[in-house]
Amino acid sequence: MVDTSHSPIELTRDFDKDAALVSELFAGLDAELAKLPAKAERTEEQDAAASALLDRGRAAREDFLAVHVATLYDTLTEGRTRLLRVAELAYAAADLVPGLVPTRERIAEERTHPQKHKEGWEYDQGILISRVLDNPVAGYHLMHAMAQPLPEALELLDELRRTDRVDLGTSLVERKGNVGHLTIQHHKYLNAEDDESTRAMEIATDLILLDDRIDVGLLRGAEAQHPKYLGRRVFDAGVNLTRLYHGEISLIEFFIERELGLITKWFRGHSIGDGEVSVVERRHEKPWIAAVDSFAIGGGCQYLLVMDRVIARSGAYVNLPARREGFLPGCGNMRLPRFVGEKVARQGIFFNRDIYVDSPEGRQIVDDLVVDEEGMQAAIADAVDALTATGPVGINANRTEMRIGAEPLETFRAYMANLSILQAKCMYSPAIIRNLELAWDPKRRGGVK
């Protein structure tokens, strides 16, 4: 967190007065920052001056939110009667308390710069969301809001029921019997993840959860179109380094909403409670199967850790290359040790260890090993039969109890409160810029990560 021991404001503890105070401070700091050249053109001394201004603003944000986050959240959600996703909440806060977080327009302008030349306004969004999640009442309500079906899914549900198929571009949903097939087909980037593809996958996941004819979800990669992997199915190539390099991967819409939305819906389903603090989970959920034909890199590995059954082709591998990339591998730090132990998890996260599915450690992540497509189809059919044999009530009750024992919602809230600010720090650290320059050569690489 930013050091607030020398906060630039003295709060009155009255929300309206303090909001006016901090907004005036932020406006003054912005005016000072505007006198400096753009980040790409600054001298070392000018860059230090800019950092000092930004740090003053972040200290004030921390101080203001430490006192007023509950009032802010209640005001934005009208007493927790409105459900706002993370991005919606952040941009609403920008309107209510000018300068507290960047406006949508400021973030849009920031995204026109490569990551190394961005000012880092998303850091302020990370401060806000971390503080919201750190507050139990607001945090539970925000997690509840994030576990609702997206409006696009509600609009497309009739199409799925009518045609058994919805093509979302980077994801494809198909109903085959009682199985909802979610096929990842982000061909341009070899199924690497970005804002666009994650949103499409979440819509697809919502459709499978909403269609009452579907009992089980199946996640699998499409056959690749890239010459190197032509005709082979690729599961997930991790974060889209091309778009990250160009500053087009978002902190809140990607790194935070991906965990609280998409992956939560696989692991926990839709929240049908009221969002109040409670140890009792009220969910509409379904079991999920993942089929891995080649590799599950980074985010793909994270996906496997919330699946009920994982089937893989012999020779495939998974990894969480966090050290090489320089940021947090989502909830992988919390979940991977449950599968392979802390020692192997550290080797994977800190030392870039690939875990092959045929190895003893790989077998802790993968349930079934197959050698060909016939074996894959047979293993999928067996998994579907097993997951539906006792009916949805029994399987989902067992999912819930196992999940509560391993990762109660309170533990998840605490993890995400920390991830929201730590991921912001990672995204704008000098190390990630250096790593991107080493891992992504713009002269050598084409469109595919």
Side-chain angles (χ1 to χ4, degrees), residues 402-414:
M402 189 172 293
R403 185 175 62 240
I404 289 170
E407 187 187 308
L409 205 55
E410 179 68 4
T411 298
F412 180 58
R413 180 179 72 86

Side-chain angles (χ1 to χ4, degrees), residues 26-276:
F26 299 143
L29 293 173
D30 271 3
E32 290 297 312
L33 194 63
K35 295 176 183 178
L36 296 170
K39 184 176 176 63
E41 302 166 2
R42 290 175 193 154
T43 64
E44 188 174 333
E45 291 78 11
Q46 290 170 334
D47 203 44
S51 294
L53 291 169
L54 292 169
D55 285 347
R56 286 186 65 202
R58 287 164 186 163
R61 290 177 180 92
E62 291 277 14
D63 211 29
F64 175 81
L65 290 167
V67 175
H68 294 298
V69 69
T71 302
L72 176 74
Y73 189 83
D74 278 356
T75 302
L76 294 173
T77 61
E78 299 175 8
R80 301 193 304 284
T81 61
R82 292 179 65 206
L83 298 176
L84 298 177
R85 286 173 64 89
V86 167
E88 293 170 332
L89 183 75
Y91 293 126
D95 292 335
L96 182 65
V97 184
L100 181 64
V101 281
T103 61
R104 194 179 294 274
E105 292 74 24
R106 171 165 271 182
I107 291 296
E109 194 282 330
E110 179 96 319
R111 283 172 67 98
T112 64
H113 304 288
Q115 191 70 20
K116 63 183 177 181
H117 292 155
K118 292 167 77 171
E119 199 71 77
W121 297 116
E122 289 176 302
Y123 195 118
D124 304 333
Q125 295 175 323
I127 292 172
L128 170 67
I129 302 307
S130 178
R131 285 290 184 176
V132 169
L133 290 168
D134 191 30
N135 179 280
V137 174
Y140 270 78
H141 192 265
L142 179 58
M143 292 191 296
H144 170 66
M146 284 298 305
Q148 301 303 308
L150 287 167
E152 298 97 316
L154 296 173
E155 292 171 3
L156 291 167
L157 184 57
D158 284 345
E159 180 180 337
L160 178 62
R161 287 172 172 161
R162 187 177 67 256
T163 67
D164 290 333
R165 190 178 191 274
V166 174
D167 192 335
L168 296 161
T170 57
S171 286
L172 173 67
V173 183
E174 297 173 290
R175 183 186 75 89
K176 299 178 182 180
N178 65 340
V179 180
H181 292 245
L182 197 173
T183 303
I184 312 169
Q185 51 182 27
H186 199 10
H187 294 300
K188 182 178 179 181
Y189 295 104
L190 204 61
N191 286 353
E193 300 174 55
D194 49 39
D195 293 32
E196 173 194 1
S197 65
T198 298
R199 182 81 176 191
M201 273 196 285
E202 187 172 349
I203 296 167
T205 298
D206 285 334
L207 287 168
I208 289 171
L209 290 170
L210 290 167
D211 191 332
D212 55 13
R213 302 171 302 168
I214 294 173
D215 297 320
V216 179
L218 171 66
L219 181 66
R220 195 177 186 188
E223 288 189 7
Q225 296 178 357
H226 186 267
K228 183 177 178 180
Y229 298 94
L230 193 63
R232 294 174 56 190
R233 288 182 180 266
V234 171
F235 188 72
D236 189 297
V239 69
N240 190 328
L241 292 182
T242 300
R243 288 191 164 169
L244 181 60
Y245 182 91
H246 287 296
E248 298 170 351
I249 298 291
S250 303
L251 172 67
I252 53 176
E253 285 96 335
F254 180 75
F255 283 111
I256 298 178
E257 288 197 350
R258 173 180 174 276
E259 302 297 331
L260 292 172
L262 171 64
I263 298 178
T264 285
K265 289 172 179 178
W266 288 332
F267 195 38
R268 291 184 163 88
H270 289 146
S271 176
I272 57 174
D274 53 14
E276 296 300 312

